[in-house]
Amino acid sequence: MFDSTSYVNLTTQLTSNLQIVNDGNSSAMNIIHKSSYPNIIDVYNNVDNLNIPVFIVTNLNNVGIGVTAPTEKLQVDGNIKATSFEGRGNLLNQVNFSDRNTSLLQEGSNLYFTSTRVASILNSSNAILSN
């Protein structure tokens, strides 16, 4: 059992399980990075000594999931499943909506309009087209 001033300096500690239980009124774990090493947290899957990156946090506050050197605030190598995304989305690019149709998108989202949908909007309006 460690109190709030105890330090553990271990380079490598083999264990089958690490559990942190917090019964107090503060964080269960604080990591203070005072090293010149570029990553604060490195979590790898070392099955068959392959060192596959699982989770990385850099000293630039970038987080990588499945990548070794994330260059963005969140960089993921793989699919993302979320219940919602927030923000304006005006910087989205290379978004693939090939498996969706416009009825699933909010009108005016500027993310995806097929030529059929654009023609439908123009035909139902008083818009005049010119080159």
Side-chain angles (χ1 to χ4, degrees), residues 39 42 44 51 53 56 58 66-70:
N39 292 346
D42 291 330
Y44 286 90
N51 278 340
I56 307 292
T58 71
V67 297
T68 56

Side-chain angles (χ1 to χ4, degrees), residues 28-71:
M29 179 171 49
N30 292 318
I31 298 174
I32 299 171
H33 185 69
K34 293 184 177 182
S35 161
S36 62
Y37 184 73
N39 292 346
I40 298 170
I41 299 173
D42 291 330
V43 178
Y44 286 90
N45 181 349
N46 196 23
V47 174
D48 298 326
N49 292 319
L50 294 177
N51 278 340
I52 300 167
V54 175
F55 184 79
I56 307 292
V57 178
T58 71
N59 60 2
L60 298 174
N61 299 323
N62 293 336
V63 174
I65 299 174
V67 297
T68 56
T71 57

Side-chain angles (χ1 to χ4, degrees), residues 5-130:
T5 59
S6 298
Y7 295 92
V8 178
N9 287 315
L10 299 173
T11 302
T12 301
Q13 179 66 39
L14 298 177
T15 181
S16 62
N17 185 324
L18 173 64
Q19 182 177 20
I20 298 172
V21 177
N22 182 4
D23 290 333
N25 294 323
S26 63
S27 300
M29 179 171 49
N30 292 318
I31 298 174
I32 299 171
H33 185 69
K34 293 184 177 182
S35 161
S36 62
Y37 184 73
N39 292 346
I40 298 170
I41 299 173
D42 291 330
V43 178
Y44 286 90
N45 181 349
N46 196 23
V47 174
D48 298 326
N49 292 319
L50 294 177
N51 278 340
I52 300 167
V54 175
F55 184 79
I56 307 292
V57 178
T58 71
N59 60 2
L60 298 174
N61 299 323
N62 293 336
V63 174
I65 299 174
V67 297
T68 56
T71 57
E72 302 294 332
K73 289 299 172 198
L74 177 61
Q75 185 173 345
V76 178
D77 180 13
N79 295 332
I80 299 171
K81 184 174 184 177
T83 55
S84 89
F85 289 96
E86 293 188 23
R88 293 182 352 191
N90 60 324
L91 298 177
L92 287 175
N93 60 50
Q94 299 179 0
V95 178
N96 181 0
F97 286 110
S98 62
D99 63 340
R100 300 288 184 250
N101 61 52
T102 57
S103 66
L104 297 174
L105 298 174
Q106 181 179 355
E107 190 68 46
S109 64
N110 293 328
L111 290 177
Y112 183 78
F113 287 101
T114 64
S115 57
T116 304
R117 179 71 175 126
V118 171
S120 171
I121 292 169
L122 290 175
N123 290 335
S124 65
S125 71
N126 293 326
I128 298 172
L129 300 177
S130 65

